[in-house]
Amino acid sequence: MFSLLEISANTFVDDITSFFSFAKNAFLDFSIFDAIDILLLTVLFSFAIKFFKSRKAGALIIGIGICLAIFIFATLFGLSSIRYILSGIFQIGALAIVIIFQPEIRDLLEKMGSGSIRGIRLFGDFSAKNRSQYKIVDNICKAVHVLSVEKTGALIAIERTTKLDDILETGTVINADVNESLIRNLFYNKAPLHDGAIVIDEGRILAAACILPLPKRTQVDTNLGTRHRAAVGLSEISDAIIIIVSEETGVISIAKECELIRNFTPDSLRKYLYAELVEGHDVEKDPD
Amino acid sequence: MNRRILGIRIGTVLSVVGCLAAAVLFWLFVKYSEFDSAQAITLMTAAFRG
Protein backbone atom coordinates (compact mmCIF):
# COMPACT_ATOMS: atom_id res chain seq x y z
CA MET A 1 0.00 0.00 0.00
CA PHE A 2 2.83 2.38 0.87
CA SER A 3 4.58 1.59 -2.41
CA LEU A 4 1.31 2.46 -4.19
CA LEU A 5 1.21 5.79 -2.32
CA GLU A 6 4.85 6.37 -3.21
CA ILE A 7 4.14 5.69 -6.89
CA SER A 8 1.15 8.05 -6.79
CA ALA A 9 3.19 10.75 -5.06
CA ASN A 10 6.01 10.35 -7.59
CA THR A 11 3.54 10.59 -10.45
CA PHE A 12 2.09 13.71 -8.83
CA VAL A 13 5.53 15.29 -8.49
CA ASP A 14 6.37 14.38 -12.11
CA ASP A 15 3.12 15.97 -13.28
CA ILE A 16 3.81 19.15 -11.31
CA THR A 17 7.38 19.34 -12.66
CA SER A 18 6.09 18.83 -16.18
CA PHE A 19 3.49 21.55 -15.65
CA PHE A 20 6.04 24.11 -14.39
CA SER A 21 8.37 23.30 -17.25
CA PHE A 22 5.50 23.80 -19.68
CA ALA A 23 4.52 27.09 -17.92
CA LYS A 24 8.06 28.44 -18.40
CA ASN A 25 7.89 27.70 -22.15
CA ALA A 26 4.37 29.13 -22.40
CA PHE A 27 5.56 32.49 -21.00
CA LEU A 28 8.52 32.54 -23.38
CA ASP A 29 6.05 32.25 -26.30
CA PHE A 30 3.68 34.86 -24.81
CA SER A 31 1.85 36.92 -27.44
CA ILE A 32 -0.52 39.93 -27.43
CA PHE A 33 -3.48 37.60 -27.91
CA ASP A 34 -2.52 35.69 -24.77
CA ALA A 35 -2.43 39.00 -22.89
CA ILE A 36 -5.93 39.87 -24.18
CA ASP A 37 -7.10 36.37 -23.24
CA ILE A 38 -5.82 36.77 -19.65
CA LEU A 39 -7.25 40.29 -19.38
CA LEU A 40 -10.71 39.14 -20.45
CA LEU A 41 -10.49 36.21 -18.03
CA THR A 42 -9.61 38.64 -15.21
CA VAL A 43 -12.66 40.76 -16.01
CA LEU A 44 -14.83 37.63 -16.14
CA PHE A 45 -13.59 36.34 -12.77
CA SER A 46 -14.02 39.80 -11.24
CA PHE A 47 -17.65 39.95 -12.43
CA ALA A 48 -18.28 36.41 -11.20
CA ILE A 49 -16.97 37.29 -7.73
CA LYS A 50 -19.11 40.47 -7.57
CA PHE A 51 -22.12 38.55 -8.86
CA PHE A 52 -21.88 35.77 -6.27
CA LYS A 53 -20.94 38.18 -3.49
CA SER A 54 -23.96 40.41 -4.15
CA ARG A 55 -26.23 37.36 -4.07
CA LYS A 56 -24.63 36.19 -0.83
CA ALA A 57 -23.71 32.94 -2.60
CA GLY A 58 -20.36 32.61 -0.82
CA ALA A 59 -21.34 29.30 0.75
CA LEU A 60 -22.28 27.96 -2.70
CA ILE A 61 -18.88 28.93 -4.09
CA ILE A 62 -17.07 27.30 -1.17
CA GLY A 63 -19.08 24.12 -1.73
CA ILE A 64 -18.18 24.11 -5.43
CA GLY A 65 -14.54 24.78 -4.53
CA ILE A 66 -14.44 21.79 -2.16
CA CYS A 67 -15.95 19.52 -4.85
CA LEU A 68 -13.38 20.82 -7.35
CA ALA A 69 -10.50 20.19 -4.93
CA ILE A 70 -11.72 16.61 -4.33
CA PHE A 71 -12.06 16.14 -8.11
CA ILE A 72 -8.46 17.29 -8.69
CA PHE A 73 -7.24 15.05 -5.86
CA ALA A 74 -9.15 12.10 -7.33
CA THR A 75 -7.72 12.77 -10.81
CA LEU A 76 -4.14 13.05 -9.57
CA PHE A 77 -4.26 9.95 -7.38
CA GLY A 78 -6.39 7.81 -9.71
CA LEU A 79 -9.55 7.59 -7.55
CA SER A 80 -11.66 6.67 -10.55
CA SER A 81 -14.98 6.03 -8.76
CA ILE A 82 -14.96 9.39 -6.96
CA ARG A 83 -13.87 11.08 -10.18
CA TYR A 84 -16.73 9.36 -12.05
CA ILE A 85 -19.32 10.60 -9.51
CA LEU A 86 -17.95 14.15 -9.43
CA SER A 87 -17.79 14.31 -13.25
CA GLY A 88 -21.49 13.51 -13.31
CA ILE A 89 -22.21 16.14 -10.62
CA PHE A 90 -20.23 18.83 -12.49
CA GLN A 91 -22.11 18.14 -15.72
CA ILE A 92 -25.46 18.61 -13.96
CA GLY A 93 -24.09 21.34 -11.67
CA ALA A 94 -23.44 23.80 -14.50
CA LEU A 95 -27.06 23.47 -15.62
CA ALA A 96 -28.29 23.68 -12.00
CA ILE A 97 -26.46 26.99 -11.48
CA VAL A 98 -28.09 28.46 -14.59
CA ILE A 99 -31.53 27.38 -13.36
CA ILE A 100 -30.95 28.68 -9.80
CA PHE A 101 -29.62 32.04 -10.95
CA GLN A 102 -31.91 32.45 -13.97
CA PRO A 103 -33.52 35.76 -12.80
CA GLU A 104 -30.12 37.28 -12.00
CA ILE A 105 -28.58 36.13 -15.29
CA ARG A 106 -31.56 37.57 -17.17
CA ASP A 107 -31.21 40.85 -15.27
CA LEU A 108 -27.49 40.98 -16.05
CA LEU A 109 -28.01 40.33 -19.77
CA GLU A 110 -30.75 42.99 -19.90
CA LYS A 111 -28.44 45.50 -18.22
CA MET A 112 -25.69 44.70 -20.73
CA GLY A 113 -28.10 45.26 -23.57
CA SER A 114 -29.81 48.39 -22.32
CA GLY A 115 -27.16 50.41 -20.58
CA SER A 116 -23.90 50.42 -18.69
CA ILE A 117 -22.85 48.15 -15.87
CA ARG A 118 -21.39 50.08 -12.97
CA GLY A 119 -17.90 51.22 -13.79
CA ILE A 120 -17.85 49.82 -17.33
CA ARG A 121 -19.55 51.35 -20.32
CA LEU A 122 -20.88 48.88 -22.87
CA PHE A 123 -22.89 49.35 -26.01
CA GLY A 124 -26.38 50.50 -25.20
CA ASP A 125 -28.94 53.24 -25.01
CA PHE A 126 -27.41 55.73 -22.59
CA SER A 127 -30.25 58.18 -22.98
CA ALA A 128 -32.72 55.62 -21.58
CA LYS A 129 -30.52 55.05 -18.52
CA ASN A 130 -30.07 58.78 -18.00
CA ARG A 131 -33.82 59.36 -18.27
CA SER A 132 -34.40 56.78 -15.56
CA GLN A 133 -31.75 58.41 -13.34
CA TYR A 134 -33.44 61.79 -13.76
CA LYS A 135 -36.78 60.19 -12.92
CA ILE A 136 -35.35 58.66 -9.74
CA VAL A 137 -33.93 62.02 -8.63
CA ASP A 138 -37.23 63.73 -9.44
CA ASN A 139 -39.13 61.22 -7.30
CA ILE A 140 -36.75 61.77 -4.39
CA CYS A 141 -36.98 65.55 -4.72
CA LYS A 142 -40.79 65.57 -4.87
CA ALA A 143 -40.95 63.40 -1.76
CA VAL A 144 -38.40 65.56 0.09
CA HIS A 145 -40.29 68.73 -0.87
CA VAL A 146 -43.56 67.41 0.58
CA LEU A 147 -41.82 66.14 3.73
CA SER A 148 -40.17 69.54 4.16
CA VAL A 149 -43.49 71.40 3.82
CA GLU A 150 -45.14 69.03 6.30
CA LYS A 151 -42.07 69.24 8.61
CA THR A 152 -41.76 65.46 8.68
CA GLY A 153 -38.26 64.36 9.63
CA ALA A 154 -36.48 62.30 7.00
CA LEU A 155 -33.09 60.76 6.43
CA ILE A 156 -32.31 59.42 2.93
CA ALA A 157 -28.91 57.86 2.22
CA ILE A 158 -28.04 57.43 -1.45
CA GLU A 159 -25.34 54.79 -1.85
CA ARG A 160 -22.57 55.39 -4.36
CA THR A 161 -19.32 53.47 -4.70
CA THR A 162 -18.90 52.61 -0.99
CA LYS A 163 -21.13 49.67 -0.12
CA LEU A 164 -23.40 50.15 2.89
CA ASP A 165 -24.05 46.47 3.62
CA ASP A 166 -23.44 46.83 7.35
CA ILE A 167 -25.86 49.79 7.51
CA LEU A 168 -28.49 47.80 5.56
CA GLU A 169 -28.26 44.98 8.08
CA THR A 170 -29.48 47.31 10.84
CA GLY A 171 -32.71 48.07 8.97
CA THR A 172 -35.69 46.36 7.39
CA VAL A 173 -35.39 45.19 3.79
CA ILE A 174 -37.73 46.99 1.39
CA ASN A 175 -36.14 46.37 -2.04
CA ALA A 176 -38.68 48.43 -3.98
CA ASP A 177 -38.42 50.94 -6.81
CA VAL A 178 -37.89 54.55 -5.74
CA ASN A 179 -41.29 56.13 -5.62
CA GLU A 180 -42.41 59.47 -4.18
CA SER A 181 -45.42 57.97 -2.37
CA LEU A 182 -43.37 55.14 -0.87
CA ILE A 183 -40.73 57.52 0.50
CA ARG A 184 -43.41 59.72 2.06
CA ASN A 185 -45.15 56.65 3.44
CA LEU A 186 -41.96 55.34 5.05
CA PHE A 187 -41.36 58.60 6.90
CA TYR A 188 -44.98 59.06 8.00
CA ASN A 189 -44.46 59.60 11.73
CA LYS A 190 -46.89 56.91 12.81
CA ALA A 191 -45.37 54.31 10.47
CA PRO A 192 -43.28 51.63 12.22
CA LEU A 193 -40.32 52.17 9.91
CA HIS A 194 -40.21 55.98 10.08
CA ASP A 195 -37.34 56.04 12.59
CA GLY A 196 -33.92 55.79 11.01
CA ALA A 197 -32.75 56.20 7.45
CA ILE A 198 -33.75 54.73 4.13
CA VAL A 199 -30.93 53.56 1.85
CA ILE A 200 -31.29 53.97 -1.89
CA ASP A 201 -29.06 52.39 -4.54
CA GLU A 202 -29.48 52.11 -8.30
CA GLY A 203 -33.06 53.30 -8.26
CA ARG A 204 -34.16 50.93 -5.49
CA ILE A 205 -35.04 51.61 -1.87
CA LEU A 206 -33.00 48.82 -0.33
CA ALA A 207 -33.97 49.19 3.33
CA ALA A 208 -35.70 51.45 5.83
CA ALA A 209 -35.26 52.19 9.53
CA CYS A 210 -31.49 51.84 9.17
CA ILE A 211 -29.31 53.04 12.01
CA LEU A 212 -26.56 55.40 10.92
CA PRO A 213 -23.36 55.86 12.94
CA LEU A 214 -22.68 59.07 14.82
CA PRO A 215 -19.70 61.18 13.73
CA LYS A 216 -16.35 60.51 15.35
CA ARG A 217 -14.25 63.34 14.01
CA THR A 218 -16.47 66.03 12.50
CA GLN A 219 -17.87 68.79 14.69
CA VAL A 220 -21.57 69.33 14.16
CA ASP A 221 -23.47 72.44 15.24
CA THR A 222 -24.88 71.72 18.69
CA ASN A 223 -28.24 73.15 17.60
CA LEU A 224 -28.66 70.25 15.20
CA GLY A 225 -30.14 67.00 16.39
CA THR A 226 -29.23 63.34 16.13
CA ARG A 227 -30.68 63.08 12.63
CA HIS A 228 -28.14 65.55 11.23
CA ARG A 229 -25.34 64.02 13.29
CA ALA A 230 -26.13 60.57 11.98
CA ALA A 231 -26.03 61.87 8.42
CA VAL A 232 -22.62 63.42 8.99
CA GLY A 233 -21.49 60.24 10.71
CA LEU A 234 -22.31 58.19 7.61
CA SER A 235 -20.60 60.73 5.36
CA GLU A 236 -17.42 60.18 7.41
CA ILE A 237 -17.22 56.50 6.49
CA SER A 238 -18.61 56.46 2.95
CA ASP A 239 -19.08 58.56 -0.18
CA ALA A 240 -22.88 58.36 0.13
CA ILE A 241 -25.03 61.46 -0.23
CA ILE A 242 -27.43 61.82 2.69
CA ILE A 243 -30.50 64.06 2.48
CA ILE A 244 -31.91 65.32 5.77
CA VAL A 245 -35.27 66.97 6.39
CA SER A 246 -35.48 68.63 9.78
CA GLU A 247 -38.51 67.72 11.86
CA GLU A 248 -38.40 71.05 13.69
CA THR A 249 -37.92 73.49 10.82
CA GLY A 250 -38.48 71.50 7.60
CA VAL A 251 -35.06 72.66 6.35
CA ILE A 252 -33.50 70.41 3.71
CA SER A 253 -29.80 69.66 4.16
CA ILE A 254 -27.28 67.36 2.56
CA ALA A 255 -24.36 65.60 4.22
CA LYS A 256 -21.50 64.60 1.97
CA GLU A 257 -17.84 63.84 2.74
CA CYS A 258 -18.02 65.11 6.34
CA GLU A 259 -19.68 68.33 5.19
CA LEU A 260 -23.20 69.51 5.98
CA ILE A 261 -24.77 71.78 3.38
CA ARG A 262 -27.95 73.43 4.60
CA ASN A 263 -30.98 75.32 3.37
CA PHE A 264 -31.65 73.67 0.05
CA THR A 265 -34.74 74.72 -1.86
CA PRO A 266 -36.53 72.04 -3.92
CA ASP A 267 -34.95 73.44 -7.12
CA SER A 268 -31.43 73.72 -5.74
CA LEU A 269 -31.74 70.20 -4.32
CA ARG A 270 -32.81 68.86 -7.70
CA LYS A 271 -29.90 70.58 -9.48
CA TYR A 272 -27.43 69.35 -6.88
CA LEU A 273 -28.61 65.76 -7.13
CA TYR A 274 -28.62 65.86 -10.93
CA ALA A 275 -24.99 67.00 -10.85
CA GLU A 276 -23.97 64.36 -8.30
CA LEU A 277 -26.01 61.34 -9.31
CA VAL A 278 -26.86 61.50 -13.02
CA GLU A 279 -24.04 60.26 -15.26
CA GLY A 280 -23.05 62.71 -17.94
CA HIS A 281 -25.38 65.42 -16.66
CA ASP A 282 -24.57 68.80 -18.20
CA VAL A 283 -25.17 71.49 -15.59
CA GLU A 284 -25.81 74.03 -18.37
CA LYS A 285 -28.70 72.07 -19.88
CA ASP A 286 -32.07 70.94 -18.57
CA PRO A 287 -32.94 67.24 -18.86
CA ASP A 288 -35.51 65.96 -21.45
CA MET B 1 -9.17 59.58 2.92
CA ASN B 2 -10.70 57.83 5.93
CA ARG B 3 -9.63 54.40 7.06
CA ARG B 4 -12.72 52.55 5.91
CA ILE B 5 -12.60 53.89 2.36
CA LEU B 6 -8.85 53.17 2.26
CA GLY B 7 -9.54 49.62 3.44
CA ILE B 8 -12.14 49.21 0.72
CA ARG B 9 -9.73 50.51 -1.93
CA ILE B 10 -7.00 48.11 -0.75
CA GLY B 11 -9.56 45.29 -0.79
CA THR B 12 -10.51 46.15 -4.37
CA VAL B 13 -6.85 46.17 -5.48
CA LEU B 14 -6.21 42.81 -3.78
CA SER B 15 -9.35 41.40 -5.38
CA VAL B 16 -8.21 42.51 -8.85
CA VAL B 17 -4.72 41.07 -8.26
CA GLY B 18 -6.32 37.81 -7.09
CA CYS B 19 -8.52 37.66 -10.20
CA LEU B 20 -5.46 38.31 -12.39
CA ALA B 21 -3.52 35.52 -10.68
CA ALA B 22 -6.50 33.16 -11.07
CA ALA B 23 -6.80 34.15 -14.76
CA VAL B 24 -3.09 33.43 -15.37
CA LEU B 25 -3.34 30.03 -13.66
CA PHE B 26 -6.50 29.15 -15.55
CA TRP B 27 -4.93 30.20 -18.86
CA LEU B 28 -1.87 28.04 -18.11
CA PHE B 29 -4.08 25.11 -17.14
CA VAL B 30 -6.06 25.33 -20.42
CA LYS B 31 -2.85 25.63 -22.47
CA TYR B 32 -1.40 22.62 -20.64
CA SER B 33 -4.57 20.59 -21.24
CA GLU B 34 -4.40 21.38 -24.97
CA PHE B 35 -0.70 20.53 -25.04
CA ASP B 36 -1.31 17.30 -23.10
CA SER B 37 -4.16 16.27 -25.43
CA ALA B 38 -2.02 17.02 -28.48
CA GLN B 39 0.85 14.97 -27.04
CA ALA B 40 -1.51 12.07 -26.22
CA ILE B 41 -2.87 12.10 -29.79
CA THR B 42 0.68 12.15 -31.20
CA LEU B 43 1.71 9.22 -28.98
CA MET B 44 -1.43 7.24 -29.84
CA THR B 45 -0.93 7.88 -33.56
CA ALA B 46 2.73 6.81 -33.30
CA ALA B 47 1.73 3.65 -31.37
CA PHE B 48 -0.96 2.82 -33.97
CA ARG B 49 1.49 3.13 -36.80
CA GLY B 50 3.83 0.85 -34.88
Side-chain angles (χ1 to χ4, degrees), chain A residues 12-28, chain B residues 24-25 28-29 32 35:
Chain A
F12 176 69
V13 169
D14 287 340
D15 283 339
I16 295 289
T17 313
S18 161
F19 177 76
F20 276 115
S21 162
F22 172 79
K24 187 179 141 194
N25 292 330
F27 280 116
L28 288 171
Chain B
V24 168
L25 281 171
L28 273 172
F29 176 73
Y32 186 67
F35 170 74

Side-chain angles (χ1 to χ4, degrees), chain A residues 181-196:
Chain A
S181 304
L182 181 56
I183 294 173
R184 286 171 52 194
N185 202 321
L186 285 168
F187 286 114
Y188 174 59
N189 59 14
K190 294 213 182 340
L193 299 176
H194 80 279
D195 234 348

Side-chain angles (χ1 to χ4, degrees), chain A residues 15 18-19 22-24 26-27 30 34 37-39 41-42 45-46 49 161-167 217 235-239, chain B residues 1-5 8-9 12 15-36 39:
Chain A
D15 283 339
S18 161
F19 177 76
F22 172 79
K24 187 179 141 194
F27 280 116
F30 201 74
D34 293 323
D37 200 6
I38 288 173
L39 199 63
L41 266 176
T42 308
F45 287 157
S46 170
I49 287 170
T161 56
T162 316
K163 285 296 192 188
L164 302 177
D165 292 348
D166 50 346
I167 304 294
R217 296 186 304 278
S235 73
E236 272 184 357
I237 60 166
S238 76
D239 63 351
Chain B
M1 187 187 286
N2 70 54
R3 213 180 279 171
R4 179 178 155 135
I5 294 178
I8 288 164
R9 298 274 190 263
T12 307
S15 169
V16 169
V17 169
C19 287
L20 184 61
V24 168
L25 281 171
F26 188 79
W27 172 79
L28 273 172
F29 176 73
V30 169
K31 285 269 181 192
Y32 186 67
S33 303
E34 286 171 0
F35 170 74
D36 214 25
Q39 259 196 335

Side-chain angles (χ1 to χ4, degrees), chain A:
Chain A
M1 183 186 155
F2 290 110
S3 60
L4 274 172
L5 275 172
E6 205 182 316
I7 291 166
S8 298
N10 284 337
T11 313
F12 176 69
V13 169
D14 287 340
D15 283 339
I16 295 289
T17 313
S18 161
F19 177 76
F20 276 115
S21 162
F22 172 79
K24 187 179 141 194
N25 292 330
F27 280 116
L28 288 171
D29 292 331
F30 201 74
S31 73
I32 185 79
F33 295 107
D34 293 323
I36 293 168
D37 200 6
I38 288 173
L39 199 63
L40 289 173
L41 266 176
T42 308
V43 170
L44 190 66
F45 287 157
S46 170
F47 269 121
I49 287 170
K50 272 190 198 165
F51 178 79
F52 284 112
K53 204 174 160 191
S54 68
R55 267 73 186 175
K56 299 207 190 296
L60 176 70
I61 297 299
I62 290 168
I64 292 171
I66 290 170
C67 287
L68 202 60
I70 295 171
F71 181 76
I72 293 168
F73 182 83
T75 307
L76 289 170
F77 289 98
L79 307 176
S80 47
S81 308
I82 298 290
R83 192 172 179 281
Y84 178 80
I85 291 168
L86 285 173
S87 298
I89 289 171
F90 281 133
Q91 279 167 22
I92 302 165
L95 185 60
I97 284 175
V98 170
I99 292 168
I100 290 165
F101 289 107
Q102 181 265 334
E104 285 86 354
I105 291 170
R106 185 193 170 113
D107 189 44
L108 179 68
L109 289 170
E110 278 175 353
K111 268 188 190 173
M112 282 172 72
S114 65
S116 66
I117 292 176
R118 180 184 282 191
I120 297 179
R121 289 191 178 273
L122 298 171
F123 304 111
D125 181 9
F126 293 111
S127 63
K129 178 175 162 70
N130 271 9
R131 274 199 295 276
S132 77
Q133 286 178 329
Y134 282 119
K135 196 175 159 196
I136 290 160
V137 168
D138 286 343
N139 271 304
I140 294 171
C141 290
K142 280 181 204 166
V144 167
H145 174 55
V146 173
L147 291 167
S148 168
V149 165
E150 292 173 352
K151 291 189 185 164
T152 303
L155 201 45
I156 301 170
I158 304 172
E159 188 178 301
R160 295 205 287 178
T161 56
T162 316
K163 285 296 192 188
L164 302 177
D165 292 348
D166 50 346
I167 304 294
L168 291 172
E169 279 169 16
T170 64
T172 301
V173 173
I174 303 291
N175 197 21
D177 285 338
V178 168
N179 180 284
E180 181 207 334
S181 304
L182 181 56
I183 294 173
R184 286 171 52 194
N185 202 321
L186 285 168
F187 286 114
Y188 174 59
N189 59 14
K190 294 213 182 340
L193 299 176
H194 80 279
D195 234 348
I198 66 170
V199 177
I200 291 174
D201 184 34
E202 294 192 358
R204 306 276 292 172
I205 301 174
L206 300 181
C210 299
I211 310 295
L212 304 188
L214 290 176
K216 289 191 169 60
R217 296 186 304 278
T218 315
Q219 294 298 319
V220 181
D221 187 348
T222 49
N223 292 325
L224 299 173
T226 313
R227 191 174 271 117
H228 291 80
R229 288 173 187 282
V232 172
L234 181 61
S235 73
E236 272 184 357
I237 60 166
S238 76
D239 63 351
I241 290 177
I242 307 105
I243 304 168
I244 314 114
V245 178
S246 168
E247 198 170 13
E248 286 83 25
T249 59
V251 165
I252 302 168
S253 310
I254 281 184
K256 181 191 149 194
E257 290 170 359
C258 306
E259 200 189 337
L260 193 65
I261 311 161
R262 303 207 69 213
N263 298 309
F264 278 90
T265 62
D267 274 338
S268 64
L269 175 69
R270 182 173 277 108
K271 282 180 186 158
Y272 185 90
L273 292 179
Y274 281 161
E276 291 288 335
L277 301 174
V278 178
E279 286 172 36
H281 171 71
D282 187 346
V283 293
E284 303 295 324
K285 290 182 188 171
D286 286 331
D288 302 288

